PDB file of all heavy atoms in Angstrom:
ATOM      1  N   ASP R 282       4.526  -6.354   5.424  1.00  0.00           N
ATOM      2  CA  ASP R 282       3.628  -6.967   4.436  1.00  0.00           C
ATOM      3  C   ASP R 282       2.722  -5.926   3.774  1.00  0.00           C
ATOM      4  O   ASP R 282       1.609  -6.228   3.388  1.00  0.00           O
ATOM      5  CB  ASP R 282       2.792  -8.077   5.083  1.00  0.00           C
ATOM      6  CG  ASP R 282       1.782  -7.552   6.102  1.00  0.00           C
ATOM      7  OD1 ASP R 282       1.873  -6.364   6.458  1.00  0.00           O
ATOM      8  OD2 ASP R 282       0.914  -8.335   6.528  1.00  0.00           O
ATOM      9  N   SER R 283       3.218  -4.714   3.635  1.00  0.00           N
ATOM     10  CA  SER R 283       2.526  -3.544   3.061  1.00  0.00           C
ATOM     11  C   SER R 283       1.612  -2.863   4.065  1.00  0.00           C
ATOM     12  O   SER R 283       0.841  -1.979   3.706  1.00  0.00           O
ATOM     13  CB  SER R 283       1.714  -3.897   1.803  1.00  0.00           C
ATOM     14  OG  SER R 283       0.504  -4.565   2.114  1.00  0.00           O
ATOM     15  N   GLY R 284       1.740  -3.201   5.347  1.00  0.00           N
ATOM     16  CA  GLY R 284       0.894  -2.609   6.371  1.00  0.00           C
ATOM     17  C   GLY R 284       1.389  -1.278   6.903  1.00  0.00           C
ATOM     18  O   GLY R 284       0.716  -0.659   7.739  1.00  0.00           O
ATOM     19  N   ARG R 285       2.567  -0.809   6.447  1.00  0.00           N
ATOM     20  CA  ARG R 285       3.105   0.465   6.903  1.00  0.00           C
ATOM     21  C   ARG R 285       3.529   1.289   5.688  1.00  0.00           C
ATOM     22  O   ARG R 285       4.068   0.757   4.717  1.00  0.00           O
ATOM     23  CB  ARG R 285       4.321   0.261   7.825  1.00  0.00           C
ATOM     24  CG  ARG R 285       4.046  -0.590   9.056  1.00  0.00           C
ATOM     25  CD  ARG R 285       3.154   0.120  10.061  1.00  0.00           C
ATOM     26  NE  ARG R 285       3.022  -0.667  11.287  1.00  0.00           N
ATOM     27  CZ  ARG R 285       2.116  -1.612  11.494  1.00  0.00           C
ATOM     28  NH1 ARG R 285       1.242  -1.910  10.534  1.00  0.00           N
ATOM     29  NH2 ARG R 285       2.073  -2.285  12.633  1.00  0.00           N
ATOM     30  N   HIS R 286       3.350   2.590   5.791  1.00  0.00           N
ATOM     31  CA  HIS R 286       3.637   3.446   4.641  1.00  0.00           C
ATOM     32  C   HIS R 286       5.116   3.493   4.297  1.00  0.00           C
ATOM     33  O   HIS R 286       5.480   3.801   3.162  1.00  0.00           O
ATOM     34  CB  HIS R 286       3.134   4.877   4.915  1.00  0.00           C
ATOM     35  CG  HIS R 286       3.882   5.585   6.000  1.00  0.00           C
ATOM     36  ND1 HIS R 286       3.540   5.480   7.337  1.00  0.00           N
ATOM     37  CD2 HIS R 286       4.965   6.406   5.958  1.00  0.00           C
ATOM     38  CE1 HIS R 286       4.372   6.210   8.059  1.00  0.00           C
ATOM     39  NE2 HIS R 286       5.243   6.793   7.245  1.00  0.00           N
ATOM     40  N   PHE R 287       5.969   3.208   5.261  1.00  0.00           N
ATOM     41  CA  PHE R 287       7.420   3.305   5.040  1.00  0.00           C
ATOM     42  C   PHE R 287       8.007   1.978   4.550  1.00  0.00           C
ATOM     43  O   PHE R 287       9.221   1.853   4.417  1.00  0.00           O
ATOM     44  CB  PHE R 287       8.136   3.757   6.314  1.00  0.00           C
ATOM     45  CG  PHE R 287       7.762   2.976   7.544  1.00  0.00           C
ATOM     46  CD1 PHE R 287       8.343   1.753   7.826  1.00  0.00           C
ATOM     47  CD2 PHE R 287       6.801   3.471   8.413  1.00  0.00           C
ATOM     48  CE1 PHE R 287       7.978   1.031   8.943  1.00  0.00           C
ATOM     49  CE2 PHE R 287       6.433   2.755   9.547  1.00  0.00           C
ATOM     50  CZ  PHE R 287       7.027   1.526   9.814  1.00  0.00           C
ATOM     51  N   TYR R 288       7.163   0.972   4.302  1.00  0.00           N
ATOM     52  CA  TYR R 288       7.641  -0.303   3.759  1.00  0.00           C
ATOM     53  C   TYR R 288       6.643  -0.761   2.698  1.00  0.00           C
ATOM     54  O   TYR R 288       5.750  -1.556   2.950  1.00  0.00           O
ATOM     55  CB  TYR R 288       7.749  -1.359   4.874  1.00  0.00           C
ATOM     56  CG  TYR R 288       8.624  -2.551   4.495  1.00  0.00           C
ATOM     57  CD1 TYR R 288       9.984  -2.531   4.760  1.00  0.00           C
ATOM     58  CD2 TYR R 288       8.084  -3.666   3.864  1.00  0.00           C
ATOM     59  CE1 TYR R 288      10.784  -3.607   4.417  1.00  0.00           C
ATOM     60  CE2 TYR R 288       8.873  -4.748   3.511  1.00  0.00           C
ATOM     61  CZ  TYR R 288      10.226  -4.716   3.793  1.00  0.00           C
ATOM     62  OH  TYR R 288      11.022  -5.782   3.445  1.00  0.00           O
ATOM     63  N   ASP R 289       6.794  -0.197   1.489  1.00  0.00           N
ATOM     64  CA  ASP R 289       5.806  -0.464   0.454  1.00  0.00           C
ATOM     65  C   ASP R 289       6.374  -0.070  -0.909  1.00  0.00           C
ATOM     66  O   ASP R 289       7.514   0.417  -1.001  1.00  0.00           O
ATOM     67  CB  ASP R 289       4.523   0.323   0.736  1.00  0.00           C
ATOM     68  CG  ASP R 289       3.276  -0.380   0.207  1.00  0.00           C
ATOM     69  OD1 ASP R 289       3.408  -1.202  -0.722  1.00  0.00           O
ATOM     70  OD2 ASP R 289       2.175  -0.101   0.700  1.00  0.00           O
ATOM     71  N   VAL R 290       5.579  -0.272  -1.943  1.00  0.00           N
ATOM     72  CA  VAL R 290       5.946   0.174  -3.286  1.00  0.00           C
ATOM     73  C   VAL R 290       4.979   1.274  -3.709  1.00  0.00           C
ATOM     74  O   VAL R 290       3.806   1.268  -3.315  1.00  0.00           O
ATOM     75  CB  VAL R 290       5.907  -0.989  -4.300  1.00  0.00           C
ATOM     76  CG1 VAL R 290       6.963  -2.016  -3.967  1.00  0.00           C
ATOM     77  CG2 VAL R 290       4.533  -1.640  -4.357  1.00  0.00           C
ATOM     78  N   TYR R 291       5.499   2.218  -4.513  1.00  0.00           N
ATOM     79  CA  TYR R 291       4.697   3.361  -4.941  1.00  0.00           C
ATOM     80  C   TYR R 291       4.793   3.536  -6.452  1.00  0.00           C
ATOM     81  O   TYR R 291       5.873   3.379  -7.043  1.00  0.00           O
ATOM     82  CB  TYR R 291       5.153   4.629  -4.219  1.00  0.00           C
ATOM     83  CG  TYR R 291       4.815   4.616  -2.740  1.00  0.00           C
ATOM     84  CD1 TYR R 291       5.729   4.144  -1.809  1.00  0.00           C
ATOM     85  CD2 TYR R 291       3.563   5.039  -2.299  1.00  0.00           C
ATOM     86  CE1 TYR R 291       5.406   4.109  -0.441  1.00  0.00           C
ATOM     87  CE2 TYR R 291       3.235   5.006  -0.946  1.00  0.00           C
ATOM     88  CZ  TYR R 291       4.156   4.533  -0.029  1.00  0.00           C
ATOM     89  OH  TYR R 291       3.824   4.493   1.300  1.00  0.00           O
ATOM     90  N   ARG R 292       3.662   3.884  -7.035  1.00  0.00           N
ATOM     91  CA  ARG R 292       3.578   4.057  -8.486  1.00  0.00           C
ATOM     92  C   ARG R 292       4.049   5.456  -8.883  1.00  0.00           C
ATOM     93  O   ARG R 292       3.694   6.444  -8.248  1.00  0.00           O
ATOM     94  CB  ARG R 292       2.136   3.847  -8.949  1.00  0.00           C
ATOM     95  CG  ARG R 292       1.966   3.680 -10.453  1.00  0.00           C
ATOM     96  CD  ARG R 292       0.517   3.303 -10.764  1.00  0.00           C
ATOM     97  NE  ARG R 292       0.334   2.887 -12.152  1.00  0.00           N
ATOM     98  CZ  ARG R 292       0.039   3.703 -13.146  1.00  0.00           C
ATOM     99  NH1 ARG R 292      -0.131   5.004 -12.885  1.00  0.00           N
ATOM    100  NH2 ARG R 292      -0.107   3.255 -14.371  1.00  0.00           N
ATOM    101  N   CYS R 293       4.839   5.519  -9.947  1.00  0.00           N
ATOM    102  CA  CYS R 293       5.373   6.793 -10.421  1.00  0.00           C
ATOM    103  C   CYS R 293       4.550   7.287 -11.617  1.00  0.00           C
ATOM    104  O   CYS R 293       3.647   6.612 -12.104  1.00  0.00           O
ATOM    105  CB  CYS R 293       6.843   6.623 -10.813  1.00  0.00           C
ATOM    106  SG  CYS R 293       7.865   5.962  -9.468  1.00  0.00           S
ATOM    107  N   SER R 294       4.897   8.470 -12.092  1.00  0.00           N
ATOM    108  CA  SER R 294       4.086   9.095 -13.140  1.00  0.00           C
ATOM    109  C   SER R 294       4.141   8.336 -14.455  1.00  0.00           C
ATOM    110  O   SER R 294       3.237   8.465 -15.287  1.00  0.00           O
ATOM    111  CB  SER R 294       4.538  10.545 -13.359  1.00  0.00           C
ATOM    112  OG  SER R 294       5.871  10.587 -13.843  1.00  0.00           O
ATOM    113  N   ASP R 295       5.190   7.534 -14.668  1.00  0.00           N
ATOM    114  CA  ASP R 295       5.315   6.772 -15.915  1.00  0.00           C
ATOM    115  C   ASP R 295       4.745   5.364 -15.796  1.00  0.00           C
ATOM    116  O   ASP R 295       4.918   4.537 -16.692  1.00  0.00           O
ATOM    117  CB  ASP R 295       6.774   6.709 -16.360  1.00  0.00           C
ATOM    118  CG  ASP R 295       7.697   6.137 -15.291  1.00  0.00           C
ATOM    119  OD1 ASP R 295       7.209   5.843 -14.176  1.00  0.00           O
ATOM    120  OD2 ASP R 295       8.904   5.982 -15.557  1.00  0.00           O
ATOM    121  N   GLY R 296       4.091   5.067 -14.671  1.00  0.00           N
ATOM    122  CA  GLY R 296       3.514   3.743 -14.479  1.00  0.00           C
ATOM    123  C   GLY R 296       4.477   2.734 -13.886  1.00  0.00           C
ATOM    124  O   GLY R 296       4.080   1.614 -13.581  1.00  0.00           O
ATOM    125  N   GLU R 297       5.737   3.116 -13.707  1.00  0.00           N
ATOM    126  CA  GLU R 297       6.713   2.237 -13.055  1.00  0.00           C
ATOM    127  C   GLU R 297       6.626   2.422 -11.538  1.00  0.00           C
ATOM    128  O   GLU R 297       5.918   3.310 -11.056  1.00  0.00           O
ATOM    129  CB  GLU R 297       8.124   2.547 -13.563  1.00  0.00           C
ATOM    130  CG  GLU R 297       8.300   2.394 -15.061  1.00  0.00           C
ATOM    131  CD  GLU R 297       8.157   0.962 -15.534  1.00  0.00           C
ATOM    132  OE1 GLU R 297       8.300   0.044 -14.696  1.00  0.00           O
ATOM    133  OE2 GLU R 297       7.885   0.757 -16.727  1.00  0.00           O
ATOM    134  N   TYR R 298       7.377   1.606 -10.809  1.00  0.00           N
ATOM    135  CA  TYR R 298       7.280   1.618  -9.351  1.00  0.00           C
ATOM    136  C   TYR R 298       8.648   1.780  -8.693  1.00  0.00           C
ATOM    137  O   TYR R 298       9.688   1.470  -9.278  1.00  0.00           O
ATOM    138  CB  TYR R 298       6.641   0.318  -8.848  1.00  0.00           C
ATOM    139  CG  TYR R 298       5.168   0.219  -9.145  1.00  0.00           C
ATOM    140  CD1 TYR R 298       4.722  -0.203 -10.404  1.00  0.00           C
ATOM    141  CD2 TYR R 298       4.215   0.552  -8.193  1.00  0.00           C
ATOM    142  CE1 TYR R 298       3.370  -0.296 -10.697  1.00  0.00           C
ATOM    143  CE2 TYR R 298       2.854   0.464  -8.475  1.00  0.00           C
ATOM    144  CZ  TYR R 298       2.443   0.052  -9.730  1.00  0.00           C
ATOM    145  OH  TYR R 298       1.110  -0.031 -10.008  1.00  0.00           O
ATOM    146  N   VAL R 299       8.617   2.275  -7.455  1.00  0.00           N
ATOM    147  CA  VAL R 299       9.806   2.320  -6.599  1.00  0.00           C
ATOM    148  C   VAL R 299       9.472   1.613  -5.296  1.00  0.00           C
ATOM    149  O   VAL R 299       8.311   1.508  -4.902  1.00  0.00           O
ATOM    150  CB  VAL R 299      10.259   3.770  -6.312  1.00  0.00           C
ATOM    151  CG1 VAL R 299      10.750   4.449  -7.579  1.00  0.00           C
ATOM    152  CG2 VAL R 299       9.139   4.570  -5.657  1.00  0.00           C
ATOM    153  N   SER R 300      10.512   1.121  -4.633  1.00  0.00           N
ATOM    154  CA  SER R 300      10.319   0.455  -3.346  1.00  0.00           C
ATOM    155  C   SER R 300      10.945   1.286  -2.238  1.00  0.00           C
ATOM    156  O   SER R 300      12.022   1.865  -2.401  1.00  0.00           O
ATOM    157  CB  SER R 300      10.958  -0.939  -3.365  1.00  0.00           C
ATOM    158  OG  SER R 300      12.375  -0.860  -3.414  1.00  0.00           O
ATOM    159  N   VAL R 301      10.251   1.339  -1.116  1.00  0.00           N
ATOM    160  CA  VAL R 301      10.721   2.057   0.068  1.00  0.00           C
ATOM    161  C   VAL R 301      10.697   1.077   1.232  1.00  0.00           C
ATOM    162  O   VAL R 301       9.693   0.403   1.461  1.00  0.00           O
ATOM    163  CB  VAL R 301       9.815   3.269   0.373  1.00  0.00           C
ATOM    164  CG1 VAL R 301      10.187   3.888   1.713  1.00  0.00           C
ATOM    165  CG2 VAL R 301       9.926   4.304  -0.743  1.00  0.00           C
ATOM    166  N   GLY R 302      11.799   0.990   1.948  1.00  0.00           N
ATOM    167  CA  GLY R 302      11.877   0.067   3.092  1.00  0.00           C
ATOM    168  C   GLY R 302      12.550   0.715   4.282  1.00  0.00           C
ATOM    169  O   GLY R 302      13.409   0.121   4.931  1.00  0.00           O
ATOM    170  N   SER R 303      12.153   1.944   4.594  1.00  0.00           N
ATOM    171  CA  SER R 303      12.824   2.744   5.627  1.00  0.00           C
ATOM    172  C   SER R 303      12.297   2.394   7.016  1.00  0.00           C
ATOM    173  O   SER R 303      11.624   3.202   7.669  1.00  0.00           O
ATOM    174  CB  SER R 303      12.631   4.234   5.333  1.00  0.00           C
ATOM    175  OG  SER R 303      12.970   4.533   3.999  1.00  0.00           O
ATOM    176  N   ILE R 304      12.614   1.217   7.499  1.00  0.00           N
ATOM    177  CA  ILE R 304      12.096   0.754   8.782  1.00  0.00           C
ATOM    178  C   ILE R 304      12.759   1.471   9.960  1.00  0.00           C
ATOM    179  O   ILE R 304      12.089   1.984  10.860  1.00  0.00           O
ATOM    180  CB  ILE R 304      12.287  -0.769   8.924  1.00  0.00           C
ATOM    181  CG1 ILE R 304      11.455  -1.513   7.870  1.00  0.00           C
ATOM    182  CG2 ILE R 304      11.901  -1.233  10.324  1.00  0.00           C
ATOM    183  CD1 ILE R 304      11.665  -3.009   7.869  1.00  0.00           C
ATOM    184  N   GLU R 305      14.077   1.507   9.966  1.00  0.00           N
ATOM    185  CA  GLU R 305      14.800   2.102  11.094  1.00  0.00           C
ATOM    186  C   GLU R 305      14.619   3.622  11.114  1.00  0.00           C
ATOM    187  O   GLU R 305      14.561   4.262  10.052  1.00  0.00           O
ATOM    188  CB  GLU R 305      16.286   1.755  11.016  1.00  0.00           C
ATOM    189  CG  GLU R 305      16.593   0.272  11.197  1.00  0.00           C
ATOM    190  CD  GLU R 305      16.379  -0.567   9.940  1.00  0.00           C
ATOM    191  OE1 GLU R 305      16.052   0.028   8.880  1.00  0.00           O
ATOM    192  OE2 GLU R 305      16.542  -1.792  10.003  1.00  0.00           O
ATOM    193  N   PRO R 306      14.535   4.216  12.287  1.00  0.00           N
ATOM    194  CA  PRO R 306      14.282   5.660  12.403  1.00  0.00           C
ATOM    195  C   PRO R 306      15.261   6.528  11.621  1.00  0.00           C
ATOM    196  O   PRO R 306      14.856   7.517  11.009  1.00  0.00           O
ATOM    197  CB  PRO R 306      14.387   5.915  13.908  1.00  0.00           C
ATOM    198  CG  PRO R 306      14.011   4.604  14.531  1.00  0.00           C
ATOM    199  CD  PRO R 306      14.554   3.552  13.619  1.00  0.00           C
ATOM    200  N   VAL R 307      16.538   6.153  11.617  1.00  0.00           N
ATOM    201  CA  VAL R 307      17.520   6.984  10.930  1.00  0.00           C
ATOM    202  C   VAL R 307      17.251   7.011   9.430  1.00  0.00           C
ATOM    203  O   VAL R 307      17.365   8.065   8.772  1.00  0.00           O
ATOM    204  CB  VAL R 307      18.957   6.499  11.227  1.00  0.00           C
ATOM    205  CG1 VAL R 307      19.179   5.063  10.755  1.00  0.00           C
ATOM    206  CG2 VAL R 307      19.989   7.422  10.594  1.00  0.00           C
ATOM    207  N   PHE R 308      16.863   5.854   8.869  1.00  0.00           N
ATOM    208  CA  PHE R 308      16.599   5.800   7.432  1.00  0.00           C
ATOM    209  C   PHE R 308      15.272   6.469   7.095  1.00  0.00           C
ATOM    210  O   PHE R 308      15.128   7.095   6.035  1.00  0.00           O
ATOM    211  CB  PHE R 308      16.611   4.351   6.948  1.00  0.00           C
ATOM    212  CG  PHE R 308      17.919   3.640   7.218  1.00  0.00           C
ATOM    213  CD1 PHE R 308      17.940   2.394   7.823  1.00  0.00           C
ATOM    214  CD2 PHE R 308      19.123   4.218   6.859  1.00  0.00           C
ATOM    215  CE1 PHE R 308      19.121   1.746   8.079  1.00  0.00           C
ATOM    216  CE2 PHE R 308      20.332   3.577   7.110  1.00  0.00           C
ATOM    217  CZ  PHE R 308      20.331   2.337   7.721  1.00  0.00           C
ATOM    218  N   TYR R 309      14.316   6.370   7.989  1.00  0.00           N
ATOM    219  CA  TYR R 309      13.024   7.025   7.776  1.00  0.00           C
ATOM    220  C   TYR R 309      13.209   8.540   7.765  1.00  0.00           C
ATOM    221  O   TYR R 309      12.636   9.245   6.917  1.00  0.00           O
ATOM    222  CB  TYR R 309      12.050   6.607   8.868  1.00  0.00           C
ATOM    223  CG  TYR R 309      10.665   7.190   8.713  1.00  0.00           C
ATOM    224  CD1 TYR R 309       9.869   6.873   7.613  1.00  0.00           C
ATOM    225  CD2 TYR R 309      10.144   8.065   9.669  1.00  0.00           C
ATOM    226  CE1 TYR R 309       8.587   7.400   7.478  1.00  0.00           C
ATOM    227  CE2 TYR R 309       8.860   8.599   9.537  1.00  0.00           C
ATOM    228  CZ  TYR R 309       8.096   8.264   8.429  1.00  0.00           C
ATOM    229  OH  TYR R 309       6.839   8.787   8.295  1.00  0.00           O
ATOM    230  N   ALA R 310      14.015   9.039   8.678  1.00  0.00           N
ATOM    231  CA  ALA R 310      14.271  10.477   8.724  1.00  0.00           C
ATOM    232  C   ALA R 310      14.947  10.943   7.435  1.00  0.00           C
ATOM    233  O   ALA R 310      14.630  12.021   6.900  1.00  0.00           O
ATOM    234  CB  ALA R 310      15.128  10.814   9.940  1.00  0.00           C
ATOM    235  N   ARG R 311      15.870  10.122   6.922  1.00  0.00           N
ATOM    236  CA  ARG R 311      16.550  10.483   5.679  1.00  0.00           C
ATOM    237  C   ARG R 311      15.589  10.460   4.497  1.00  0.00           C
ATOM    238  O   ARG R 311      15.691  11.274   3.575  1.00  0.00           O
ATOM    239  CB  ARG R 311      17.715   9.524   5.431  1.00  0.00           C
ATOM    240  CG  ARG R 311      18.878   9.719   6.401  1.00  0.00           C
ATOM    241  CD  ARG R 311      19.931   8.644   6.240  1.00  0.00           C
ATOM    242  NE  ARG R 311      21.011   8.804   7.214  1.00  0.00           N
ATOM    243  CZ  ARG R 311      21.953   7.904   7.451  1.00  0.00           C
ATOM    244  NH1 ARG R 311      21.951   6.766   6.757  1.00  0.00           N
ATOM    245  NH2 ARG R 311      22.887   8.121   8.346  1.00  0.00           N
ATOM    246  N   LEU R 312      14.648   9.526   4.507  1.00  0.00           N
ATOM    247  CA  LEU R 312      13.655   9.466   3.443  1.00  0.00           C
ATOM    248  C   LEU R 312      12.813  10.739   3.423  1.00  0.00           C
ATOM    249  O   LEU R 312      12.642  11.368   2.369  1.00  0.00           O
ATOM    250  CB  LEU R 312      12.749   8.244   3.625  1.00  0.00           C
ATOM    251  CG  LEU R 312      11.575   8.147   2.653  1.00  0.00           C
ATOM    252  CD1 LEU R 312      12.069   7.831   1.242  1.00  0.00           C
ATOM    253  CD2 LEU R 312      10.557   7.106   3.122  1.00  0.00           C
ATOM    254  N   LEU R 313      12.300  11.131   4.586  1.00  0.00           N
ATOM    255  CA  LEU R 313      11.477  12.337   4.655  1.00  0.00           C
ATOM    256  C   LEU R 313      12.262  13.570   4.208  1.00  0.00           C
ATOM    257  O   LEU R 313      11.737  14.426   3.494  1.00  0.00           O
ATOM    258  CB  LEU R 313      10.949  12.524   6.080  1.00  0.00           C
ATOM    259  CG  LEU R 313       9.990  11.446   6.608  1.00  0.00           C
ATOM    260  CD1 LEU R 313       9.588  11.763   8.044  1.00  0.00           C
ATOM    261  CD2 LEU R 313       8.753  11.330   5.710  1.00  0.00           C
ATOM    262  N   ALA R 314      13.526  13.642   4.645  1.00  0.00           N
ATOM    263  CA  ALA R 314      14.350  14.795   4.271  1.00  0.00           C
ATOM    264  C   ALA R 314      14.586  14.832   2.765  1.00  0.00           C
ATOM    265  O   ALA R 314      14.494  15.891   2.128  1.00  0.00           O
ATOM    266  CB  ALA R 314      15.676  14.745   5.021  1.00  0.00           C
ATOM    267  N   ALA R 315      14.884  13.674   2.181  1.00  0.00           N
ATOM    268  CA  ALA R 315      15.153  13.620   0.750  1.00  0.00           C
ATOM    269  C   ALA R 315      13.913  13.960  -0.073  1.00  0.00           C
ATOM    270  O   ALA R 315      14.010  14.522  -1.167  1.00  0.00           O
ATOM    271  CB  ALA R 315      15.665  12.236   0.365  1.00  0.00           C
TER     272      ALA R 315
END
């Protein structure tokens, strides 16, 4: 419910947004690496 940094939306430089939902450890590790 937006209480964790790895499950939230983030604002980009053009004012648009992206969503991140890297709950599982393997996906979180891939997010950090990317």
